[in-house]
């Protein structure tokens, strides 16, 4: 297992030199954030970012993410030019030594929460998804501010993209994803870069928009679209685990055995009876997921891919990007590596 940490570049309130101080930290997970979706990343920008990461004593191995343009998801005639740009980004990142690219195929909205700063019983704040709150939200009226989506949309452009998706079925989305994969995976194979799709978060439709990377059946279907080790998964325990219908331990055991998990996002969620959820501390008793069993499933198959502690609470008065503070994610990193060390020593018969 290679421990990694999400970092949003020089504008991130979390300093990269602090990330380096987390024991056993291997890689920075980052991206170029000032290039419009669908455009090419310059080699100079990629190498500058690589230099920053490596000067901090960390590895530049994982990009999260190279966003997929909406025209590709919609299957519009303009998609081919954006796919060609995407291929060039894969090639250039491969030249820079990147091993894994995380991306998603969620229409319009990325990971979605209804509140950034829910105060938990211990006084920390967390990201939450409350069903009663989402019912009161209408993305097409007024000002919508949802965590995890591209706020560059104007009210008019958002309505336009919604109108386009009103004609797109789930089967259409599957067909558009297959078209995309058949174009990019051969390039990824040549470049030595493993593509790792992130599940939809949450793993069900929102605002009437179709979502397809949601459960075991759909992950099976996805992996068969292009049966290559370079077509794999970012297995996010919190995304898939926020659907009570998903057995994340069973799924990790299955896909790790197949060698199709290239990147792990590990966090915990507390499931609510109405289908909502609250993000919690990584420590297993705090949420509904058993992170010890999750790590066991990875260890069983000698997982050698990348793993990062995912969203954390904001604790100890820390401010900044909600869910991406240093302190709680660092605690999560040490909790996960502690489990991993224990499993490794137990396998070796050490006491």
């Amino acid at each position: 297992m290679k421990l990694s940490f999400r970092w949003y570049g020089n504008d991130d309130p979390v300093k990269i030199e602090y990330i380096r101080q987390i024991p056993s930290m291997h890689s920075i997970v980052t991206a170029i954030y000032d290039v419009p979706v669908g455009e090419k990343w310059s080699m100079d920008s990629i190498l500058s970012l690589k230099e920053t990461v490596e000067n901090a004593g960390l590895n530049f191995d994982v990009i999260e993410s190279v966003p997929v343009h909406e025209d590709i998801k919609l299957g519009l005639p303009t998609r081919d030019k954006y796919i060609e740009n995407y291929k060039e980004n894969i090639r250039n990142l491969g030249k820079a030594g990147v091993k894994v690219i995380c991306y998603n195929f969620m229409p319009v909205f990325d990971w979605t929460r209804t509140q950034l700063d829910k105060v938990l019983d211990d006084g920390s704040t967390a990201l939450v998804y409350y069903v009663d709150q989402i019912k009161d939200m209408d993305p097409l009226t007024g000002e919508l501010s949802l965590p995890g989506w591209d706020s560059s949309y104007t009210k008019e452009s958002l309505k336009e993209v919604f109108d386009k998706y009103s004609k797109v079925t789930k089967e259409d989305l599957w067909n558009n994803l297959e078209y995309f994969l058949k174009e990019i995976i051969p390039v990824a194979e040549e470049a030595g870069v493993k593509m790792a799709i992130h599940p939809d978060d949450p793993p069900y439709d929102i605002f009437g928009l179709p979502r397809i990377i949601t459960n075991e059946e759909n992950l099976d279907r996805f992996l068969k679209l292009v049966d290559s080790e370079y077509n794999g998964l970012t297995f996010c325990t919190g995304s898939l685990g926020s659907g009570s219908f998903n057995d994340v331990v069973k799924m990790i055991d299955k896909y790790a055995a197949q060698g199709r998990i290239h990147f792990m996002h590990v966090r915990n969620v507390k499931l609510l009876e109405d289908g909502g959820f609250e993000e919690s501390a990584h420590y297993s008793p705090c949420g509904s997921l058993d992170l010890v069993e999750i790590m066991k499933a990875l260890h069983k198959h000698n997982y050698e891919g990348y793993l990062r502690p995912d969203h954390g609470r904001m604790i100890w008065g820390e401010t900044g990007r909600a869910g991406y503070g240093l302190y709680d994610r660092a605690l999560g990193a040490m909790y996960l590596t502690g489990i991993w060390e224990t499993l490794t020593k137990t396998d070796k018969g050490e006491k």
Side-chain angles (χ1 to χ4, degrees):
M1 177 189 75
K2 301 179 184 72
L3 189 66
S4 62
F5 209 86
R6 183 72 179 268
W7 182 63
Y8 283 92
N10 291 323
D11 293 333
D12 195 321
V14 176
K15 295 182 179 180
I16 194 170
E17 56 265 32
Y18 292 169
I19 298 171
R20 176 67 179 85
Q21 294 170 12
I22 301 171
S24 74
M25 189 55 63
H26 182 275
S27 301
I28 284 292
V29 177
T30 191
I32 294 172
Y33 299 103
D34 59 356
V35 175
V37 173
E39 299 303 317
K40 295 178 184 178
W41 295 2
S42 74
M43 200 67 201
D44 286 345
S45 295
I46 293 170
L47 292 177
S48 175
L49 184 58
K50 175 185 173 74
E51 182 180 20
T52 298
V53 171
E54 292 184 344
N55 284 347
L58 294 160
N59 292 289
F60 182 70
D61 291 343
V62 184
I63 289 295
E64 184 182 344
S65 61
V66 181
V68 179
H69 196 277
E70 294 297 334
D71 287 12
I72 298 173
K73 300 173 193 175
L74 286 162
L76 299 180
T78 49
R79 65 182 170 180
D80 288 331
K81 72 173 182 178
Y82 293 116
I83 290 175
E84 290 305 312
N85 289 347
Y86 207 99
K87 291 177 184 177
E88 191 65 16
N89 286 336
I90 293 172
R91 293 187 186 103
N92 286 342
L93 289 168
K95 291 175 185 175
V98 168
K99 305 294 190 298
V100 173
I101 293 175
C102 171
Y103 68 102
N104 72 70
F105 216 73
M106 292 181 251
V108 187
F109 300 104
D110 203 322
W111 60 269
T112 302
R113 301 292 182 271
T114 61
Q115 192 175 339
L116 291 169
D117 55 357
K118 169 65 179 178
V119 180
L120 303 179
D121 291 342
D122 61 6
S124 63
T125 60
L127 307 170
V128 300
Y129 183 97
Y130 288 153
V131 172
D132 59 339
Q133 290 178 341
I134 203 76
K135 286 179 179 177
D136 293 335
M137 294 179 175
D138 185 346
L140 300 181
T141 60
E143 294 296 326
L144 178 68
S145 179
L146 280 174
W149 78 294
D150 184 359
S151 58
S152 65
Y153 283 114
T154 64
K155 183 178 177 180
E156 291 72 24
S157 63
L158 189 59
K159 184 179 186 303
E160 182 180 348
V161 76
F162 260 74
D163 287 343
K164 291 176 181 177
Y165 272 109
S166 69
K167 304 175 182 67
V168 174
T169 66
K170 287 191 177 184
E171 282 305 308
D172 292 331
L173 196 58
W174 275 113
N175 291 336
N176 297 339
L177 175 55
E178 182 175 11
Y179 184 94
F180 174 65
L181 291 174
K182 287 183 174 178
E183 288 289 322
I184 68 161
I185 296 302
V187 175
E189 290 173 342
E190 292 174 5
V193 178
K194 292 182 176 178
M195 301 301 299
I197 198 168
H198 190 287
D200 300 335
D201 184 6
Y204 35 77
D205 298 354
I206 59 168
F207 301 124
L209 296 167
R211 291 189 159 195
I212 57 177
I213 309 300
T214 56
N215 55 36
E216 184 176 356
E217 179 183 0
N218 288 353
L219 290 183
D220 287 345
R221 179 175 178 177
F222 166 79
L223 293 173
K224 290 176 183 175
L225 293 177
V226 178
D227 191 8
S228 165
E229 67 172 308
Y230 286 85
N231 179 38
L233 307 174
T234 294
F235 195 103
C236 179
T237 64
S239 299
L240 292 165
S242 59
S244 59
F245 44 82
N246 283 325
D247 184 337
V248 295
V249 174
K250 175 191 171 192
M251 294 164 73
I252 290 171
D253 185 37
K254 175 179 179 176
Y255 300 121
Q258 297 173 3
R260 301 298 283 273
I261 299 177
H262 303 322
F263 189 22
M264 286 292 304
H265 288 186
V266 182
R267 59 182 163 89
N268 212 337
V269 290
K270 181 180 179 181
L271 301 181
L272 306 177
E273 290 184 1
D274 63 0
F277 57 89
E278 299 174 346
E279 297 195 2
S280 67
H282 287 78
Y283 181 50
S284 293
C286 294
S288 300
L289 305 181
D290 190 331
L291 268 61
V292 173
E293 291 302 315
I294 285 169
M295 297 302 285
K296 278 184 181 179
L298 290 170
H299 198 271
K300 171 183 174 182
H301 299 290
N302 300 309
Y303 178 69
E304 295 181 345
Y306 299 89
L307 179 149
R308 74 169 175 86
D310 206 1
H311 309 166
R313 303 164 300 151
M314 301 302 277
I315 64 173
W316 303 339
E318 187 175 20
T319 59
R321 186 185 295 268
Y324 286 98
L326 172 66
Y327 304 149
D328 200 43
R329 286 188 296 155
L331 289 178
M334 295 318 300
Y335 176 59
L336 297 172
T337 53
I339 295 170
W340 193 264
E341 181 183 23
T342 300
L343 293 170
T344 300
K345 288 190 172 184
T346 300
D347 278 357
K348 292 179 179 179
E350 298 180 25
K351 295 183 180 180

